[in-house]
């Protein structure tokens, strides 16, 4: 196992970067009742990666692929923000339409690319085991900016600017871990801990459970040579389920007077 540490350590740090923004954003998504917005925005961000690859933007300058992906995601987030008040009761359906359109657009763009299937697989499942410290430095700056914004302007999560901030966080995460793991990181543990009283205890419980799932999933993936993204999704689901069944995430009972 010792020889796996150089691979597992940067991958685990990548997971912590994703979780740092996705846990609080996940609670906000659940509160708004727009559960599948992360899948939609993540898929649009993945479409941006596909477009950048197809038109060779990544060769223009360092970070070009990320910028193209971010523009796609922010544009989708802005569109959903504009539609929120107009189609409030149908917003979840609109989000689903965005997801399907982005997913099929990727298939169309890569229809004649012999390596298109591998690229689509990578955007969905990610390649977290192969992240480098240089990559993490860039994403760490993005995550720090998102967290700082949420800390200094907590009301940003309540208004329409939530969509833009969400899109930026999702773009960074998709490039690191893929679409599937973005959804799992954002929803599974926050869903399991939602019944707890909002506050630092709930937040740290969610962070702890998610970090444990990442540690176990990465170790299992590397040791048994399993797809990292799929393994981590299942670990997050199992940890969340165990926490619920074990009563760890139940709200504290009020003491009798």
């Amino acid at each position: 196992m010792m020889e796996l540490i150089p691979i597992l350590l940067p991958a685990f740090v990548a997971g912590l970067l994703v979780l740092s923004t996705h846990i609080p954003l996940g609670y906000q998504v659940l509160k708004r009742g727009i559960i599948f917005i992360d899948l939609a925005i993540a898929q649009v961000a993945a479409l941006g990666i596909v477009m950048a690859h197809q038109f060779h933007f990544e060769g223009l300058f360092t970070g070009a692929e990320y910028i193209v992906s971010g523009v796609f995601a922010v544009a989708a987030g802005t569109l959903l923000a504009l539609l929120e008040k107009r189609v409030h009761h149908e917003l979840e359906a609109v989000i689903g339409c965005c997801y399907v359109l982005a997913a099929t657009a990727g298939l169309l763009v890569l229809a004649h690319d012999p390596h298109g299937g591998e690229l689509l697989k990578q955007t969905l499942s990610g390649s977290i085991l192969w992240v480098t410290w240089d990559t993490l430095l860039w994403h760490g700056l993005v995550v720090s900016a998102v967290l700082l914004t949420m800390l200094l302007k907590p009301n940003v999560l309540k208004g329409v600017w939530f969509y833009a901030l969400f899109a930026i966080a999702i773009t960074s995460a998709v490039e690191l871990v893929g679409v599937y793991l973005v959804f799992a990181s954002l929803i599974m543990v926050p869903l399991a801990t939602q019944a707890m009283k909002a506050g630092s205890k709930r937040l740290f419980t969610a962070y702890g459970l998610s970090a444990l799932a990442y540690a176990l999933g990465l170790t299992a993936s590397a040791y048994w040579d399993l797809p990292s993204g799929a393994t981590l999704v299942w670990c997050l689901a199992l940890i969340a389920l165990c926490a619920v069944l074990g009563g760890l995430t139940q709200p504290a009972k009020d003491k009798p007077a």
Side-chain angles (χ1 to χ4, degrees):
M1 285 296 295
M2 294 299 295
E3 65 270 15
L4 295 177
I5 291 180
I7 297 176
L8 295 179
L9 189 57
F12 184 64
V13 172
L16 294 181
L17 286 177
V18 171
L19 293 173
S20 66
T21 57
H22 279 42
I23 296 300
L25 288 174
Y27 286 124
Q28 186 62 28
V29 165
L30 291 170
K31 183 178 179 180
R32 286 173 175 250
I34 47 176
I35 311 302
F36 296 107
I37 187 175
D38 55 316
L39 270 179
I41 298 294
Q43 192 64 58
V44 172
L47 176 61
I49 293 174
V50 167
M51 295 293 287
H53 170 81
Q54 190 68 7
F55 294 100
H56 307 291
F57 290 155
E58 71 272 17
L60 296 178
F61 56 89
T62 303
E65 185 178 274
Y66 177 83
I67 292 174
V68 173
S69 177
V71 169
F72 271 66
V74 171
T78 302
L79 176 61
L80 292 175
L82 294 174
L83 291 173
E84 183 178 28
K85 292 184 178 180
R86 293 179 177 271
V87 292
H88 178 71
H89 296 293
E90 296 82 20
L91 188 59
E92 190 77 345
V94 172
I95 289 170
C97 292
C98 288
Y99 168 76
V100 170
L101 288 170
T104 52
L107 292 174
L108 292 172
V109 171
L110 294 174
H112 301 294
D113 188 334
H115 305 291
E118 186 61 33
L119 179 59
L120 285 176
K121 179 182 176 182
Q122 183 177 337
T123 60
L124 292 174
S125 300
S127 52
I128 189 173
L129 283 178
W130 308 114
V131 298
T132 64
W133 291 111
D134 290 340
T135 302
L136 291 178
L137 178 61
W138 166 251
H139 287 283
L141 294 174
V142 176
V143 167
S144 297
V146 172
L147 290 174
L148 190 61
T149 301
M150 289 193 290
L151 179 65
L152 298 179
K153 300 285 187 178
N155 288 334
V156 74
L157 297 180
K158 300 177 182 179
V160 295
W161 286 104
F162 160 77
Y163 291 94
L165 191 69
F166 184 83
I168 293 171
I170 290 294
T171 301
S172 176
V174 166
E175 192 170 358
L176 283 176
V177 302
V179 173
Y180 294 149
L181 195 48
V182 163
F183 179 83
S185 300
L186 192 82
I187 295 297
M188 287 183 174
V189 172
L191 181 62
T193 57
Q194 189 179 219
M196 298 176 69
K197 183 179 179 180
S200 57
K201 182 179 180 180
R202 183 177 74 169
L203 199 59
F204 284 120
T205 299
Y207 277 131
L209 291 172
S210 298
L212 174 62
Y214 264 82
L216 294 175
L218 287 169
T219 303
S221 174
Y223 189 78
W224 284 300
D225 193 25
L226 297 171
S228 55
T231 305
L232 284 164
V233 167
W234 274 91
C235 280
L236 282 164
L238 291 172
I239 289 292
L241 181 61
C242 289
V244 172
L245 294 179
L248 180 62
T249 61
Q250 293 301 308
K253 296 181 179 179
D254 295 331
K255 296 181 179 180

